[in-house]
Amino acid sequence: MSKVIGAHAVSVDGYITGRDPRAGRGLGDGTMLFDWYFDGDTPSRVFDGFRLSEPSARVFDALAARVGAVVAGRNTYEDSDGFGGGGPHPAARLFVLSHRPMPKMSERQTLVSTGIQDAIAAARAAAGGKDVGLMGGGVVTEALKAGLVDEVILHQVPILLGHGRPFFQPLPGHVRLRLVEAVPAPGVTHLRYEVER
């Protein structure tokens, strides 16, 4: 069965954006959270234009190859200018979780307004047996609250941003994680955790 995974580049102090993220400004000022996408010599086999270090390419491409659909929150969608009508993954269908109507969605994008369970169910149906990726702190937090997340993957960048949008929002209780893999790479450490049930 496919897994539900939350994967994000994150600062050491837990932020997934810089200051003042919003439509037209992307993920905010000076985050440096994604420099590792372009700082290496190894081209990604999944994402055109990405040139990663060899260890990052190995981890990133293996993860990207698993994803068949993505669920993103409204903030992530708007901060990313609607992903240009596509999605954050070149081959995966995008499901946007929002309780408000969405203007101008493309045929690769689907609005789900009935909650995280329905968004993940719709993404699973479209994923063709592959995994469902989660984008955005709110989406990941809601999926954790609902007990739907199988793995949390942090691409931890050695920077303290001090401000921005945090990856995790308040949870009603503890969520235990088990470290499965830690891969150090230039400018980033890839940490893969399984969610303990």
Side-chain angles (χ1 to χ4, degrees):
M1 180 170 198
S2 69
K3 292 184 177 181
V4 176
I5 55 177
H8 259 286
V10 61
S11 66
V12 172
D13 53 349
Y15 293 103
I16 58 173
T17 72
R19 296 176 192 273
D20 199 23
R22 65 176 189 272
R25 289 182 45 95
L27 298 178
D29 293 333
T31 64
M32 297 184 289
L33 290 175
F34 305 100
D35 289 354
W36 59 276
Y37 286 175
F38 310 104
D39 283 351
D41 297 324
T42 306
S44 170
R45 294 184 321 272
V46 181
F47 281 72
D48 287 340
F50 283 27
R51 296 189 65 81
L52 307 108
S53 68
E54 187 282 325
S56 286
R58 187 171 15 93
V59 170
F60 184 82
D61 283 348
L63 176 62
R66 293 172 48 187
V67 175
V70 174
V71 176
R74 178 72 177 252
N75 286 337
T76 300
Y77 180 83
E78 290 182 349
D79 291 348
S80 302
D81 294 322
F83 299 104
H89 187 288
R93 180 112 178 253
L94 175 65
F95 294 82
V96 180
L97 182 61
S98 178
H99 298 294
R100 296 175 282 141
M102 297 284 290
K104 303 181 202 169
M105 294 190 83
S106 77
E107 67 280 348
R108 283 194 58 211
Q109 302 172 335
T110 302
L111 172 66
V112 180
S113 59
T114 53
I116 191 68
Q117 291 90 346
D118 290 343
I120 290 175
R124 261 204 170 112
K130 290 188 168 187
D131 292 345
V132 173
L134 304 177
M135 284 197 71
V139 163
V140 171
T141 301
E142 288 306 306
L144 283 166
K145 286 179 186 177
L148 298 173
V149 180
D150 298 298
E151 292 182 12
V152 174
I153 299 161
L154 304 177
H155 305 292
Q156 191 177 61
V157 177
I159 186 171
L160 298 170
L161 290 175
H163 195 274
R165 194 171 289 140
F167 186 29
F168 297 105
Q169 297 175 5
L171 291 163
H174 293 90
V175 175
R176 292 196 178 274
L177 305 175
R178 183 175 67 82
L179 182 64
V180 175
E181 182 180 41
V183 178
V188 63
T189 301
H190 306 283
L191 303 167
R192 184 164 66 94
Y193 298 92
E194 287 183 350
V195 177
E196 293 187 351
R197 304 232 195 278

